[in-house]
Each structure stands twice: as structure tokens, then as C-alpha cells.
């Protein structure tokens, strides 16, 4: 399981808004909508004011799913924990530039584990902060809400950074967007150059997740 090659738009459902008591079933349901990846939001209560799941839960989920596990580490010490998430079975690790001490070394380390690597920037972090590291990554994640919680309001100014990120990385690196994405905001972020669309609330607040995923997919095809 590898991050899909560039050239396609992928929907990455975020489990943050799913029913955590039924995680394996929730992931199986989105898999039946033909998504290739699931976005796992990992929060430590330090880097963000919320706590979600850690390696033991990821390892159990791995047994139930063959989707690409796109892990988004919203944790203070990503270099300390990356290996444990790889052992648990994630396929991709995104860390926050605001939390990384030696980002280039961390990208190398993640690649050394056989995983793809991503760097993420918060809404208040300028694109310049990832300018050097972005071309070394397989995916760059632009936050369009402050990380920590699902169902927040999309921040249009933060989304504009996608344009610059896409200019920096060119066509061969994925640009992912996370926060407040729904069928209304998806066409805009795609027009800016995003090709990997995270959505939590827009999918898991709906009783029919498959219809919700298809609505998002259709929205990404709109030409603005
Ligand atoms: C926020 C997380 C997101 C979150 C997005 O900290 O990183 O992945 O689940 O949720 P929505 O799509 O509800 O804004
Ligand atoms: Zn996320």
C-alpha cells in the first residue's frame, strides 16, 4: 500500500468525525466507496488540545483494512514516535513543520522506514517555512483550520497558500488540504492545486457515507 501516484484527485476521509467505537466498520464502509486512503488524525494533547489514537489502535485497525493509512501526526515530538507508527502499519507519515526540530532528517528517517513522508503547515505558518523541505516530501499538507478538532469553519486565506505550495513542488508531489472541506469548498482548493482532499465532518456527519464521498468527488470535478 503506497500513496497513490500523482495525477489523480483522491478523497481521504478523516476518521476524526467517525464513531470511534466502530472504527473498523467505519473504515470498511468508506473503503466500499472506492477511496484509496484513510486519513488518521493522531493528536497528543500537547501539540493540539485534543487526544485521539496511538500506535496500539492503529495496529489493530491495520488487520481490518488494506487502505493506505495516511497518518497526520499532530504531536510534539514526531521524530520520537514515527517508528512506532510505522511498526503499527501506517503507510504515510505527515508531521507538522512547527513541531519538527530537524525536518530534513525526519523525512530521511521516515523514508528509511519504507514509508512516504509529508510535511504540514498550520494556517498561521507561512509557506516559506516549508520551502526547503517540501520538495523532499511525497506530500505537503496545508491546514485550512487550526488543528485539533473536526467540523470547524474553512479558512479561505489559509487555502490560498496551496497555490504557492503547488508552485514549489510541481506536479509530482501531492498537495493535501485538511479542514472544513465539503462540496462547496472542494472545487476552490482543487482549483488552487490540491489533489488530496481530507474530509471528516462532510462524510461522517452523514448517515450515508458513500453518497457523501461521491458528492465530494463530483465537486472536485467542477471547473471554477
Ligand atoms: C483537524 C484534523 C482534520 C479534521 C478535519 O485537526 O486534522 O483531519 O478531521 O475535519 P473536517 O473535515 O471536519 O474539518
Ligand atoms: Zn488531519
Amino acid at each position: 500500500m503506497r500513496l497513490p501516484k500523482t495525477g489523480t484527485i483522491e478523497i481521504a476521509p478523516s476518521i476524526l468525525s467517525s464513531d470511534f467505537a466502530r472504527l473498523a466498520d467505519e473504515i470498511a464502509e468508506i473503503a466500499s466507496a472506492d477511496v484509496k486512503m484513510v486519513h488518521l488524525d493522531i493528536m497528543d494533547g500537547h501539540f493540539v488540545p485534543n487526544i485521539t489514537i496511538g500506535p496500539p489502535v492503529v495496529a489493530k485497525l491495520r488487520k481490518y483494512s488494506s487502505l493506505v493509512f495516511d497518518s497526520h501526526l499532530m504531536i510534539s515530538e514526531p521524530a520520537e514516535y514515527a517508528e512506532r507508527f510505522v511498526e503499527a502499519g501506517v503507510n504515510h507519515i505527515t508531521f507538522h513543520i512547527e513541531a519538527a526540530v530537524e525536518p530534513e532528517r525526519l523525512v530521511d528517517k521516515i523514508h528509511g522506514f519504507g514509508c512516504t513522508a509529508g510535511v504540514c503547515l498550520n494556517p498561521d505558518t507561512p509557506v516559506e517555512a516549508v520551502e526547503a523541505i517540501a520538495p523532499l516530501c511525497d506530500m505537503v499538507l496545508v491546514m485550512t483550520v487550526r488543528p485539533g478538532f473536526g467540523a470547524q469553519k474553512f479558512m479561505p486565506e489559509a487555502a490560498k497558500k496551496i497555490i504557492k505550495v503547488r508552485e514549489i513542488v510541481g506536479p509530482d508531489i501531492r498537495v493535501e488540504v485538511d479542514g472544513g472541506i465539503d462540496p462547496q469548498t472542494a472545487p476552490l482548493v482543487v482549483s488552487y492545486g490540491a489533489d488530496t482532499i481530507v474530509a471528516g465532518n462532510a462524510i461522517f456527519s452523514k448517515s450515508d457515507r458513500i453518497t457523501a464521498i461521491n458528492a465530494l468527488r463530483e465537486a472536485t470535478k467542477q471547473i471554477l
Side-chain angles (χ1 to χ4, degrees), residues 14 16 39-43 70-74 96 120 141 143 147 176 178-179 198:
S14 156
L16 189 60
H39 183 85
L40 303 180
D41 283 304
I42 313 292
M43 305 186 185
D70 163 29
S71 66
H72 175 193
L73 303 191
M74 286 163 274
H96 271 259
C120 180
L141 173 53
M143 291 303 301
E176 188 175 40
D178 185 2
V198 177

Side-chain angles (χ1 to χ4, degrees), residues 195-211:
D195 57 11
T196 311
I197 311 296
V198 177
N201 187 57
I203 294 171
F204 290 103
S205 70
K206 307 280 192 263
S207 56
D208 184 347
R209 277 88 157 115
I210 298 173
T211 301

Side-chain angles (χ1 to χ4, degrees), residues 3 16 36 54 74 81 96 123 126 142 148 155 159 173 184 196 201:
L3 202 60
L16 189 60
K36 297 193 180 71
M74 286 163 274
Y81 291 92
H96 271 259
V142 177
M155 298 169 78
I173 291 176
Q184 282 68 52
T196 311
N201 187 57

Side-chain angles (χ1 to χ4, degrees), residues 124-173:
D124 298 330
T125 302
V127 175
E128 289 67 29
V130 297
E131 204 160 355
I133 193 85
L136 308 177
C137 293
D138 306 277
M139 185 152 81
V140 178
L141 173 53
V142 177
M143 291 303 301
T144 41
V145 297
R146 294 207 166 76
F149 300 94
Q152 300 184 74
K153 201 170 173 319
F154 178 76
M155 298 169 78
E157 286 305 313
K160 285 189 188 143
K161 289 190 288 183
I162 294 168
I163 300 170
K164 188 112 178 265
V165 169
R166 178 55 79 195
E167 269 172 32
I168 293 169
V169 300
D172 297 331
I173 291 176

